[in-house]
Amino acid sequence: ELIGLGIARALAAFHLDKLVEQGLLEASYRRLTKRRGPGARRPAKLYRRSGLQVNLSLPPREYELAARLFASAAAAGAPATRARLRKSARDFGAVLGREARRRAGKRTGSRTLLHQLQTVLQALGYEPFRASDGAIRLHNCPFDALARDHRSLMCGMNEALVGGVVRGLKLAGCTAGLDREPGLCCVALRKTN
């Protein structure tokens, strides 16, 4: 039985394989231990999310269309329009950061605040992770569809939103900045000390 799910391993594998068939997951095989040779058992079957994007709304809603129209108008607008977008994103991020700091309670050490930062970013869909260079990078851009057509506008908004969360948390020694890496969100968080 799989811990926490209350279902048999075979049933879980059956359903995971169905998701692979539908293109929602990708499967690979890898040894999880260093044992080799006879008695090492076969490699484990591992699953990860595929690149397929699925949106479902019943009844149909066209929020992405509205966002595309707003983004087109903002991108074509005056620099003041783009500055207002960044300010709105920064202010919204600061509200999220202040709420996260309040949830942390009296435990406001940098380790706790970094955990709160990652929790907020995870909830927003960024999928944060600690990179080998020590930066906190983001596997996912929640605004990817818009960023493909309006990269400068959306990356500026992303940077302001994430920076606002840092500011709201009062997380000293951490800054959000643009640092584009293929396959990742354009924003990275680094220590400034």
Side-chain angles (χ1 to χ4, degrees):
E1 184 173 299
L2 292 176
I3 298 172
L5 297 179
I7 62 173
R9 180 184 177 106
L11 181 60
F14 171 80
H15 288 293
L16 289 169
D17 287 336
K18 288 294 181 187
L19 293 172
V20 170
E21 288 175 21
Q22 297 302 313
L24 297 170
L25 292 178
E26 294 175 353
S28 62
Y29 294 89
R30 189 179 75 210
R31 290 200 183 280
L32 299 179
T33 66
K34 296 186 188 244
R35 290 184 66 184
R36 300 284 183 251
R41 295 188 172 188
R42 64 181 178 201
K45 189 171 188 180
L46 305 173
Y47 299 89
R48 70 169 186 257
R49 183 182 64 209
S50 74
L52 181 67
Q53 182 174 323
V54 177
N55 295 318
L56 176 66
S57 176
L58 296 172
R61 303 287 189 233
E62 292 295 335
Y63 301 115
E64 187 175 326
L65 174 59
R68 284 182 183 280
L69 295 172
F70 281 122
S72 291
T81 303
R82 292 186 291 280
R84 281 193 298 272
L85 173 62
R86 286 190 302 275
K87 181 182 182 327
S88 292
R90 191 176 306 108
D91 292 348
F92 181 74
V95 168
L96 295 176
R98 285 192 297 273
E99 290 171 0
R101 187 173 179 95
R102 183 186 48 75
R103 281 191 306 272
K106 295 181 189 227
R107 298 166 297 176
T108 57
S110 63
R111 184 178 216 147
T112 298
L113 293 177
L114 275 172
H115 176 74
Q116 287 296 321
L117 171 64
Q118 290 183 301
T119 299
V120 170
L121 296 177
Q122 185 67 38
L124 291 172
Y126 283 103
E127 299 179 5
F129 69 100
R130 182 72 68 167
S132 59
D133 64 358
I136 296 175
R137 294 194 175 272
L138 310 168
H139 275 298
N140 184 52
C141 173
F143 314 107
D144 182 64
L146 295 173
R148 280 185 252 133
D149 294 335
H150 306 286
R151 183 159 310 281
S152 175
L153 179 73
M154 299 313 295
C155 288
M157 186 192 78
N158 262 327
E159 179 184 26
L161 177 63
V162 174
V165 175
V166 172
R167 187 172 66 179
L169 275 165
K170 296 181 183 173
L171 182 54
C174 181
T175 185
L178 293 178
D179 188 4
R180 291 184 178 92
E181 289 283 330
L184 300 176
C185 179
C186 58
V187 177
L189 295 125
R190 297 188 181 281
K191 288 184 177 183
T192 56
N193 305 14

